[in-house]
């Protein structure tokens, strides 16, 4: 969760990555699902700034990221014979 929060803040701030607040919010949503306090605290302000339409798009992107991460985790487990 901490890593997801960090990725989110890098996108939001444009620190080392192209600034993309919607993508950043998507990563913050992922971190918040794992109870990352910093993400939980950051989300309301960013949602207010971006508005409901962009926030909804970020939530959809978050769900896509979650599926991709799950698929990659499953692939690793398959490769390890688990």
């Amino acid at each position: 969760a901490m890593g997801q929060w960090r990725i989110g803040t890098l996108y939001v701030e444009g620190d080392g990555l192209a600034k993309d607040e919607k993508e950043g919010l998507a990563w913050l949503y992922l971190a918040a699902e794992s109870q990352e306090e910093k993400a939980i605290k950051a989300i309301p302000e960013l949602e207010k700034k971006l508005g409901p339409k962009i926030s909804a798009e970020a939530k959809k992107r978050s769900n896509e990221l979650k599926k991709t991460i799950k698929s990659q985790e499953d692939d690793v487990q398959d490769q390890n014979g688990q």
Side-chain angles (χ1 to χ4, degrees):
M2 177 65 91
Q4 294 166 341
W5 168 79
R6 186 68 187 127
I7 292 169
T9 58
L10 291 174
Y11 273 113
V12 169
E13 297 168 358
D15 185 3
L17 299 169
K19 185 172 182 169
D20 186 339
E21 292 175 316
K22 182 172 68 173
E23 185 73 7
L25 182 56
W27 282 96
L28 293 177
Y29 283 142
L30 280 179
E33 286 183 20
S34 298
Q35 304 305 309
E36 174 55 54
E37 283 295 321
K38 291 178 181 179
I40 292 167
K41 290 178 182 176
I43 287 171
E45 183 178 331
L46 193 53
E47 286 177 330
K48 184 177 179 182
K49 179 180 179 184
L50 298 178
K53 182 177 184 288
I54 301 295
S55 296
E57 291 172 5
K59 189 65 172 170
K60 181 178 177 184
R61 173 67 177 138
S62 175
N63 290 330
E64 292 169 358
L65 288 168
K66 190 171 15 175
K67 289 177 187 174
T68 300
I69 292 167
K70 173 82 170 99
S71 175
Q72 290 173 350
E73 288 172 347
D74 290 347
D75 289 347
V76 168
Q77 287 182 353
D78 289 346
Q79 290 172 3
N80 292 333
Q82 298 177 354

